[in-house]
Amino acid sequence: MIGDITEGREKSKILLVEDSVSQSGRPLLISILHSLCKRVEKVHYICFDREPGFVKACLQSECSSRVIFHDGTSNILGWENKQSLNVNCDLVKYLNDSKGHHASTSVAIVCDSLSPLILHRSAPYTCQTVTKLASAKIQAAEVDQVVCLLHKDLHDNHSINLLHHIATTIITVKPPKFEHFLMATHTLHKRLSGKVIKLEEHFTLNNEYVIQDITEVKSIDTSKVAMETSQPDPTANLTFNLTLTDKEKEARSQVKLPYTYDQSRQDETLTKSVGEGKIFYQPDEADDFDEEDPDDDLDI
Amino acid sequence: MTTSFQKKTRSKVLQIPGAKPSIYNNQLLISTGIPSLDHILGGGVAVGTILLIEEDTYGNYARLMLKYFCAEAVMTGHSLLLASADADPEQILKELPAPIIDDPGKGEATLEEPSHDSSSDNMKIAWRYRHLPKFQSNTSGVKFGHYYDLSKTMESELTQTVDISTVDSSLCACDSKQTDGEFNNPGYNSLLKTIQEKIMANGFSTTTQVEKRNILRLALHSIGSPMWGEKGGLTENEMYSPALPRFLVGLKAILRTAYACCVITVPAHLFCDKAYVRRLERLTDTVVEVDSFVGSDKEKNPVYKDYHGLFNIKQLPCLNSLVCNMPDSLDLAFKLRRKKLTIEKLHLPPDLSETANRSQEDPLKNLKPSSGCGTGGRSNKLEF
């Protein structure tokens, strides 16, 4: 699944990679960046966290020509120069005005990371920016995918929930449980059809940042196990026979039991409407009742 | 001698296509586009009121219900104002489901009949129940509201026959730094203004006299989502944000004097606090909650295998009366078929397993060792 998402086989407009201090998500982000370079013509890489050189050093040579880096780290709050990239910029406008003019059909945008944007502006503003980027046209090119990194241990739950609401895929990076894997991920993917897929996976990255050895970790569904084990077969270890063969069952169904009505009697009862019971009373002589002397019949 | 006595006559109810008077309180009702939902709400949504839909976590079913509401506007010829910041409203209009002209209820009934007969033959012991009608909570055969086929989209020619205006995210392009004043959200302000202008310009107000009355349907998608600049109902300094309650008060005031009806979907799971959601609920008339099983543990639970989610009624309006219309049951669930979204009573399948826990039985009873004359534990003094 993680392979399908990073390679673009599973369409996802807004991909959110969440990491924390215990496990960095940047290796996965660089892996996604490499696969983006194969799919789209230009990738805009917005740096708010580390300077562009840090990521450039990790890039394969054939990819580096396709990635346009935008440095937002040197002047992050816009104190020195209003024109260079800072958190107060309108990102769509900035990318459209940026110098690296290109005539391409599809672009992708990678934002490393959203955390300064959330901290210095607000979570709703970040959500609006990300969705605007996803539906915008950058220099007349369609945006194929927006990939964002988020340090989730820096923010409160409300902000994280808001970003989860707008993202179509959320990959949470965790330290692996087994040593021979590089990292573990929890993926939540919302398909366009409305289906939601949740997965836990472990994998490693090779030197070219290609994902390898994907192993799915299946969580044990406790409710299901309980359902299955709660059905012991009472007829299993008996000294006598409790089961019936088909022939015996048929013979049993032929037996007429005292409470079963035959067809005609059933129909007769059903055609009579409910609540119309009748009392037939035929007074006999012993019932002759004298109003004057109610105790007439007493033999005292 | 003349008397001042006047015979009470029933006030004449307006005849507007696509609307009918309620049999309970004579309010003018319109259909939500989902006949089974109309039935539960007492016939439909009253004109001049707000129906609040609390969205499911991923918002798919709530959006679908809003689409039904919009499609119904097209079919009845009502005017429509569709606002959405999360999705492109033009795109939503393109994806409206196609109407089914013949009633799908009939087709289904004929399909069900043979199986019904064969099952009655098998009834050996409970044969007295054979002629009882099979249970069905949703009424069919009412000519109010339409059915739609989800696999097809409505033709654009049909959509263009009615007056539709849209409000998109450009209206609410706002930032907390640029809000004017502490209390109001510029997105909500301009949305309210648009609604007010629409009502005034097209004569939907109760005070204006028009030759042919029509009804305005307002469909507001995902109000209160981050795209409206809302941070889970909180302001910058972690106080309850008064913007959304204020918007609802304003909207209600506008609707009460207009031939208009509003359906709002709200991502209630994004709000910080249940109390805040309750506050929003109190400011609207009808409140329903869509709780879909998608992505939750209930999806795999065999108990719910026939349904796609639970449908909770949180509030019903008391219009011109002291009590609200009460549906038969509040345990409701919905299921989505290709041609029908039905909301019906939640029936749990019979628990056939031998170890089924009955609520009236003590589940621990089986654990006690039992002898011939009483329990071994001597829990009861009367036992020997």
Side-chain angles (χ1 to χ4, degrees):
Chain A
M1 184 68 198
I2 182 106
D4 293 338
I5 288 169
T6 53
E7 304 285 328
R9 284 192 291 273
E10 192 77 48
K11 283 266 167 276
S12 174
K13 198 81 189 173
I14 301 172
L15 175 59
L16 189 69
V17 180
E18 286 184 340
D19 67 357
S20 57
V21 73
S22 54
Q23 175 69 52
S24 168
R26 207 162 271 125
L28 180 63
L29 193 72
I30 293 169
S31 165
I32 295 170
L33 181 62
H34 277 106
S35 82
L36 277 177
C37 287
K38 289 178 194 130
R39 274 185 284 147
V40 298
E41 289 191 33
K42 289 284 174 200
V43 182
H44 291 275
Y45 197 97
I46 300 163
C47 301
F48 277 134
D49 241 20
R50 301 294 295 262
E51 67 286 356
F54 177 77
V55 180
K56 255 182 207 164
C58 307
L59 271 188
Q60 302 289 314
S61 53
E62 70 264 25
C63 293
S64 46
S65 60
R66 296 199 166 206
V67 185
I68 305 167
F69 284 93
H70 303 277
D71 186 10
T73 52
S74 53
N75 179 28
I76 191 157
L77 295 179
W79 287 349
E80 291 169 351
N81 174 5
K82 291 269 178 266
Q83 265 69 54
S84 76
L85 181 65
N86 59 59
V87 286
N88 293 318
C89 282
D90 182 353
L91 276 177
V92 179
K93 197 165 166 288
Y94 173 82
L95 289 178
N96 270 321
D97 296 344
S98 67
K99 282 193 289 290
H101 194 80
H102 50 85
S104 49
T105 49
S106 64
V107 293
I109 298 165
V110 180
C111 187
D112 179 11
S113 71
L114 290 178
S115 293
L117 218 50
I118 299 176
L119 292 174
H120 292 294
R121 303 301 294 272
S122 65
Y125 172 80
T126 314
C127 293
Q128 287 171 358
T129 306
V130 172
T131 36
K132 235 184 272 167
L133 282 176
S135 59
K137 286 204 163 172
I138 306 297
Q139 295 174 9
E142 292 279 342
V143 177
D144 191 59
Q145 194 175 41
V146 180
V147 184
C148 304
L149 186 68
L150 177 72
H151 307 305
K152 73 166 186 176
D153 43 1
L154 298 183
H155 310 287
D156 56 316
N157 278 342
H158 292 312
S159 309
I160 302 275
N161 280 344
L162 295 186
L163 280 161
H164 284 190
H165 181 70
I166 58 146
T168 50
T169 307
I170 301 139
I171 302 180
T172 312
V173 178
K174 288 183 280 190
K177 284 182 188 136
F178 312 105
E179 278 192 1
H180 54 283
F181 290 110
L182 181 73
M183 57 173 88
T185 53
H186 177 265
T187 311
L188 193 152
H189 178 59
K190 307 174 194 167
R191 277 207 184 132
L192 269 179
S193 61
K195 205 173 169 223
V196 174
I197 303 164
K198 286 181 186 172
L199 277 182
E200 296 260 2
E201 278 160 324
H202 280 67
F203 61 86
T204 55
L205 292 174
N206 67 4
N207 290 334
E208 274 113 44
Y209 287 97
V210 176
I211 295 178
Q212 284 181 330
D213 305 330
I214 302 171
T215 316
E216 190 183 334
V217 182
K218 284 214 171 93
S219 61
I220 299 157
D221 196 345
T222 47
S223 64
K224 214 167 197 176
V225 173
M227 293 290 287
E228 278 161 10
T229 53
S230 65
Q231 296 283 344
D233 186 13
T235 61
N237 296 314
L238 289 177
T239 52
F240 52 89
N241 186 20
L242 252 186
T243 50
L244 290 178
T245 61
D246 288 343
K247 206 174 165 191
E248 284 166 336
K249 274 181 190 159
E250 199 189 325
R252 184 181 64 177
S253 66
Q254 299 295 320
V255 176
K256 220 165 211 180
L257 292 170
Y259 58 82
T260 47
Y261 284 20
D262 60 2
Q263 197 59 45
S264 59
R265 203 164 159 204
Q266 277 184 16
D267 289 339
E268 190 192 333
T269 329
L270 283 172
T271 45
K272 264 195 254 164
S273 55
V274 186
E276 244 182 63
K278 277 181 186 156
I279 299 170
F280 298 98
Y281 178 63
Q282 287 174 321
D284 57 15
E285 272 154 55
D287 282 344
D288 195 14
F289 188 74
D290 191 359
E291 296 254 329
E292 298 291 307
D293 184 11
D295 298 332
D296 179 40
D297 54 337
L298 283 183
D299 192 19
I300 303 168
Chain B
M1 190 179 140
T2 55
T3 68
S4 63
F5 176 77
Q6 276 186 332
K7 200 178 168 214
K8 183 175 180 277
T9 48
R10 201 170 254 256
S11 61
K12 215 176 162 218
V13 180
L14 272 166
Q15 291 291 325
I16 303 176
K20 67 166 189 190
S22 161
I23 51 169
Y24 299 104
N25 49 23
N26 224 21
Q27 285 279 335
L28 204 57
L29 300 178
I30 60 168
S31 170
T32 56
I34 307 167
S36 55
L37 178 60
D38 289 343
H39 174 64
I40 289 164
L41 299 180
V45 201
V47 171
T49 63
I50 306 175
L51 166 63
L52 185 76
I53 301 174
E54 292 179 12
E55 287 178 15
D56 43 323
T57 317
Y58 302 107
N60 291 319
Y61 290 101
R63 189 167 59 240
L64 185 66
M65 287 170 73
L66 201 71
K67 276 186 197 165
Y68 278 123
F69 183 73
C70 296
E72 191 63 28
V74 177
M75 292 311 288
T76 49
H78 295 161
S79 295
L80 176 67
L81 189 142
L82 175 62
S84 175
D86 286 45
D88 182 12
E90 297 292 339
Q91 188 62 33
I92 294 181
L93 286 179
K94 272 181 208 150
E95 289 168 359
L96 291 184
I100 301 169
I101 305 303
D102 53 333
D103 185 15
K106 278 177 195 160
E108 251 169 56
T110 48
L111 276 179
E112 268 171 28
E113 250 165 66
S115 67
H116 176 79
D117 279 350
S118 64
S119 70
S120 72
D121 282 342
N122 295 336
M123 274 199 210
K124 282 184 79 173
I125 295 166
W127 50 267
R128 273 174 199 274
Y129 296 105
R130 188 197 300 167
H131 288 316
L132 288 185
K134 223 179 166 189
F135 183 81
Q136 218 172 8
S137 65
N138 50 334
T139 52
S140 55
V142 214
K143 214 59 213 150
F144 183 65
H146 297 79
Y147 290 99
Y148 298 91
D149 188 345
L150 286 174
S151 57
K152 295 182 206 128
T153 53
M154 198 181 267
E155 296 95 359
S156 55
E157 292 92 54
L158 194 61
T159 326
Q160 281 155 9
T161 53
V162 293
D163 160 43
I164 297 178
S165 38
T166 56
V167 175
D168 62 10
S169 54
S170 61
L171 184 101
C172 52
C174 52
D175 182 10
S176 52
K177 286 189 179 173
Q178 292 153 13
T179 49
D180 46 349
E182 195 187 336
F183 296 121
N184 290 316
N185 177 322
Y188 297 152
N189 276 352
S190 41
L191 179 58
L192 268 189
K193 217 172 276 170
T194 317
I195 293 171
Q196 175 79 15
E197 277 162 13
K198 173 100 183 169
I199 285 173
M200 282 307 164
N202 299 31
F204 293 111
S205 167
T206 45
T207 49
T208 49
Q209 295 293 321
V210 285
E211 254 172 48
K212 194 167 170 291
R213 271 269 176 241
N214 202 353
I215 287 170
L216 174 67
R217 283 173 185 244
L218 301 165
L220 313 182
H221 176 238
S222 221
I223 300 289
S225 78
M227 302 307 294
W228 291 91
E230 192 86 48
K231 192 198 171 192
L234 292 175
T235 55
E236 281 293 282
N237 31 6
E238 306 284 306
M239 304 284 284
Y240 284 156
S241 155
L244 190 51
R246 281 184 166 214
F247 168 74
L248 289 177
V249 170
L251 180 67
K252 201 170 176 178
I254 292 175
L255 285 182
R256 286 291 193 260
T257 54
Y259 283 96
C261 183
C262 185
V263 171
I264 308 179
T265 72
V266 163
H269 60 279
L270 290 183
F271 289 118
C272 53
D273 197 347
K274 283 213 172 76
Y276 189 75
V277 180
R278 283 295 303 152
R279 213 182 264 191
L280 302 181
E281 286 168 3
R282 297 285 295 178
L283 292 172
T284 53
D285 297 292
T286 318
V287 183
V288 297
E289 183 193 20
V290 185
D291 180 9
S292 121
F293 297 149
V294 172
S296 78
D297 299 337
K298 289 176 187 161
E299 196 175 23
K300 286 170 193 148
N301 195 330
V303 165
Y304 295 122
K305 69 177 183 340
D306 292 341
Y307 302 103
H308 288 98
L310 298 179
F311 191 86
N312 302 327
I313 294 184
K314 292 211 158 171
Q315 184 177 297
L316 286 166
C318 302
L319 300 166
N320 296 348
S321 61
L322 291 174
V323 289
C324 59
N325 158 61
M326 209 53 198
D328 304 335
S329 164
L330 290 176
D331 283 329
L332 300 167
F334 64 89
K335 57 181 162 193
L336 184 65
R337 296 271 168 275
R338 198 168 61 85
K339 293 188 171 180
K340 223 173 175 184
L341 174 74
T342 43
I343 297 160
E344 52 183 53
K345 267 189 204 170
L346 175 66
H347 290 278
L348 298 183
D351 197 349
L352 295 172
S353 63
E354 285 180 36
T355 52
N357 260 344
R358 312 276 176 222
S359 55
Q360 63 267 37
E361 277 175 13
D362 181 12
L364 291 174
K365 199 168 70 181
N366 300 336
L367 296 177
K368 291 176 191 157
S370 59
S371 64
C373 44
T375 56
R378 281 283 166 85
S379 59
N380 195 336
K381 282 178 190 158
L382 289 175
E383 283 169 2
F384 55 93

